[in-house]
Amino acid sequence: MRVFILIQILVMMPFISHGIVNEVNIDSIVMCITSQQLKQSPNFGELSEKTKLSFSELITINQKCDTIFITESISDYGTYEYISIWNKSIGITVNGLGSKHKIVKPLHPNTETIYIQQWNVKKLLDAGSSVNIYTDEYFIERKGVSDVWTTRIIITNGQVKYETIHYLTPWFPEDNGYSDNSIDSMNPRKTTILEGILHDIKK
């Protein structure tokens, strides 16, 4: 069983060239966040796959005020499965990143994305705290469960704040005909939370 600890990170990095203030660059933000993820989860080198993607060509951000969500998944056998990125204007999912058959398609909302947009961290971490699910009423054995990293990025006048949470593929009782009361996990684990502030992430 992998054990994770809670870590809070403050990152302050200037990206101003020759005193000229440029637009916030989503690709630079992703690079900084990926660097922190790899420090916390060095066994998941696949996380760097997303830095090969030009997010700035896929999503337009509001430079003064925006909230961007990113969720990505690595399979239990080490394959980068997908990444989704969205804000209030647009949402896309990319499958097959790092392969010859990359597929970009519109984001389809589901229970997980709803909780992500609400930034209901407790719901997400509870639903993804364990491979198997156990309550007084039932036992759910799951196979092929992936690791998921979800990030919320808040842009306010050139200042970028982010929070990343790491959990297993979430299992929501409401999606499977069960009550969400008294849910426990078999072999529960601690989860990872990364937080940071990136000042002036520019082109």
Side-chain angles (χ1 to χ4, degrees):
M1 179 184 67
R2 294 189 294 273
V3 178
F4 295 84
I5 59 174
L6 171 66
I7 290 186
Q8 294 182 339
I9 299 176
L10 175 65
V11 183
M12 303 176 68
M13 301 179 65
F15 278 79
I16 301 178
S17 177
H18 305 293
I20 300 174
V21 178
N22 298 310
E23 293 182 342
V24 171
N25 187 319
I26 185 63
D27 295 309
S28 296
I29 296 172
V30 170
M31 288 282 290
C32 292
I33 292 172
T34 302
S35 176
Q36 297 301 323
Q37 287 178 303
L38 291 172
K39 288 179 182 178
Q40 178 59 30
S41 304
N43 294 329
F44 291 94
E46 297 85 0
L47 288 165
S48 63
E49 288 291 336
K50 65 178 173 291
T51 62
K52 302 174 184 177
L53 189 65
S54 180
F55 290 93
S56 56
E57 295 180 359
L58 298 172
I59 186 169
T60 300
I61 62 175
N62 185 318
Q63 298 292 325
K64 292 186 177 294
C65 181
D66 207 349
T67 301
I68 303 161
F69 301 98
I70 300 175
T71 186
E72 55 190 315
S73 174
I74 296 176
S75 72
D76 61 337
Y77 47 89
T79 299
Y80 197 103
E81 295 183 306
Y82 70 86
I83 183 167
S84 296
I85 180 169
W86 71 97
N87 59 10
K88 63 181 180 181
S89 300
I90 190 172
I92 59 100
T93 296
V94 181
N95 295 106
L97 190 61
S99 73
K100 297 180 180 179
H101 306 289
K102 181 176 66 178
I103 300 173
V104 180
K105 57 186 181 181
L107 174 72
H108 293 291
N110 54 30
T111 302
E112 182 180 11
T113 60
I114 291 172
Y115 285 135
I116 290 172
Q117 288 181 203
Q118 296 172 349
W119 204 238
N120 193 329
V121 173
K122 184 179 187 308
K123 276 283 190 180
L124 292 167
L125 296 185
D126 285 350
S129 63
S130 176
V131 173
N132 298 322
I133 310 299
Y134 173 81
T135 75
D136 292 338
E137 299 176 356
Y138 56 83
F139 171 76
I140 306 295
E141 183 178 8
R142 303 196 295 165
K143 299 183 183 297
V145 176
S146 302
D147 281 83
V148 178
W149 285 260
T150 293
T151 300
R152 180 179 66 169
I153 302 166
I154 298 175
I155 299 173
T156 308
N157 295 324
Q159 178 173 286
V160 180
K161 298 179 181 180
Y162 74 90
E163 183 177 6
T164 297
I165 55 176
H166 177 195
Y167 50 94
L168 295 174
T169 301
W171 188 91
F172 298 104
E174 58 267 41
D175 286 346
N176 295 276
Y178 295 97
S179 167
D180 63 356
N181 295 327
S182 304
I183 296 179
D184 297 312
S185 299
M186 295 294 290
N187 301 320
R189 67 181 192 180
K190 295 181 180 179
T191 51
T192 300
I193 299 178
L194 300 174
E195 295 180 337
I197 298 176
L198 311 175
H199 287 296
D200 298 318
I201 304 299
K202 311 296 181 183
K203 290 182 179 179

